[in-house]
């Protein structure tokens, strides 16, 4: 990216996922089409780990960490649900290699993956700590563990507290007890858009929100 800036070229933003294990490697295909590739369960897991990486972030799986944990600086382990695995998988973010004086140059800090998804939901305003009886409709545009970018049918001022009722179908439930706050409000092509942060949920709902995003993000290229 430093070289690109000097040449007036766009910067690249990507995440990296690393896994370690046995794979089948070689030239595969036919006379019509062939290529050198690797296949196997460990390759699939590497792809899943990469799907969870944020921009500028390096994530390693447990097998890799067992081999490099003595000399890398990592964050606390993160447990995620991975497609094709019965049990959650532990991932760790690599911050650097102290003995070599190397640090991962993260340029954007987010608290969780974000995935583009359109889901209708209903919401109620909260005034004087009382949830109002009338409800309105909205649609998510993207979602993370901690909030959504949403399109609403009306203008809602920043710092407005709301209660959200949303269907988390992949997690097998409907969440009706998600409390949130509108952090920003803007108009795009005549549509009212809001950045909404979840402020309070019960532990089961918080876990299902994470599970829902984790299942969606593995089929998305959005970071």
């Amino acid at each position: 990216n430093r070289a690109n800036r000097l040449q007036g070229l766009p910067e690249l933003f990507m995440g990296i996922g690393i896994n370690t294990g046995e794979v089948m490697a070689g030239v595969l295909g036919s006379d019509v089409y062939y290529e050198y590739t690797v296949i196997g369960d460990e390759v699939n897991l590497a792809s899943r780990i990469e799907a969870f990486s944020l921009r500028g972030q390096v994530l390693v799986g447990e097998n890799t960490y067992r081999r490099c944990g003595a000399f890398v600086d990592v964050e606390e382990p993160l447990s995620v649900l991975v497609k094709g695995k019965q049990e959650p998988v532990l991932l760790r973010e690599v911050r650097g290699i102290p003995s070599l004086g190397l640090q991962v140059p993260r340029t954007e800090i987010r608290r969780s993956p974000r995935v583009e998804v359109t889901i209708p939901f209903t919401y109620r305003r909260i005034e004087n700590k009382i949830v109002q009886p009338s409800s309105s409709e909205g649609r998510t545009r993207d979602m993370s563990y901690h909030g959504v970018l949403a399109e609403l049918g009306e203008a809602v001022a920043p710092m407005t507290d709301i209660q959200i009722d949303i269907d988390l179908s992949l997690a097998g439930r409907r969440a009706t007890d998600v409390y949130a706050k509108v952090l920003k409000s803007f108009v795009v092509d005549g549509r009212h858009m809001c950045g909404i942060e979840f402020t309070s949920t019960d532990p089961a709902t918080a876990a299902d929100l994470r599970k829902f995003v984790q299942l969606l993000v593995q089929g998305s290229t959005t970071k």
Side-chain angles (χ1 to χ4, degrees):
N1 281 334
R2 286 194 294 268
N4 281 3
R5 285 195 294 269
L6 290 173
Q7 298 179 61
L9 299 174
E11 295 185 42
L12 302 178
F13 297 96
M14 65 190 73
I16 295 173
I18 302 175
N19 184 42
T20 301
E22 293 186 358
V23 301
M24 179 180 291
V27 178
L28 303 177
S30 67
D31 292 338
V32 177
Y33 177 79
Y34 59 88
E35 65 177 340
Y36 183 87
T37 187
V38 290
I39 60 175
D41 184 61
E42 301 296 348
V43 178
N44 297 335
L45 181 54
S47 177
R48 301 304 185 195
I49 294 173
E50 188 276 336
F52 284 106
S53 63
L54 305 178
R55 295 172 180 173
Q57 185 180 45
V58 177
L59 294 180
V60 297
E62 191 68 8
N63 287 343
T64 303
Y65 180 68
R66 291 194 188 106
R67 290 163 171 80
C68 67
F71 60 85
V72 296
D73 182 20
V74 297
E75 296 281 1
E76 290 297 315
L78 170 68
S79 177
V80 300
L81 186 66
V82 174
K83 290 180 180 179
K85 297 289 184 181
Q86 293 282 341
E87 299 296 328
V89 172
L90 291 180
L91 307 181
R92 289 176 171 84
E93 178 182 355
V94 176
R95 295 188 297 191
I97 304 177
S99 62
L100 299 179
L102 298 176
Q103 290 184 329
V104 177
R106 287 192 63 181
T107 57
E108 181 176 35
I109 303 299
R110 293 180 182 171
R111 292 186 293 164
S112 85
R114 186 186 69 199
V115 61
E116 292 182 2
V117 59
T118 301
I119 306 173
F121 65 90
T122 60
Y123 67 94
R124 294 176 173 84
R125 295 175 185 247
I126 300 175
E127 298 178 5
N128 298 320
K129 299 184 179 181
I130 299 175
V131 179
Q132 301 303 298
S134 60
S135 63
S136 301
E137 296 185 352
R139 289 184 295 176
T140 67
R141 288 308 183 192
D142 66 45
M143 177 181 290
S144 72
Y145 298 161
H146 307 289
V148 295
L149 174 65
E151 178 184 346
L152 307 181
E154 59 181 350
V156 178
M159 307 311 293
T160 299
D161 292 310
I162 59 177
Q163 181 190 43
I164 293 175
D165 182 332
I166 187 168
D167 185 16
L168 304 178
S169 56
L170 293 179
R173 67 172 292 188
R174 186 174 187 86
T176 61
D177 54 355
V178 178
Y179 293 87
K181 185 184 292 290
V182 175
L183 296 184
K184 59 181 179 180
S185 183
F186 53 96
V187 177
V188 177
D189 296 330
R191 297 173 296 173
H192 297 287
M193 308 295 293
C194 287
I196 299 172
E197 181 178 70
F198 304 142
T199 55
S200 176
T201 62
D202 64 70
T205 299
D208 283 339
L209 283 167
R210 292 175 67 90
K211 178 180 178 181
F212 187 76
V213 172
Q214 288 171 6
L215 291 173
L216 283 174
V217 78
Q218 293 172 72
S220 168
T221 57
T222 299
K223 299 299 185 186

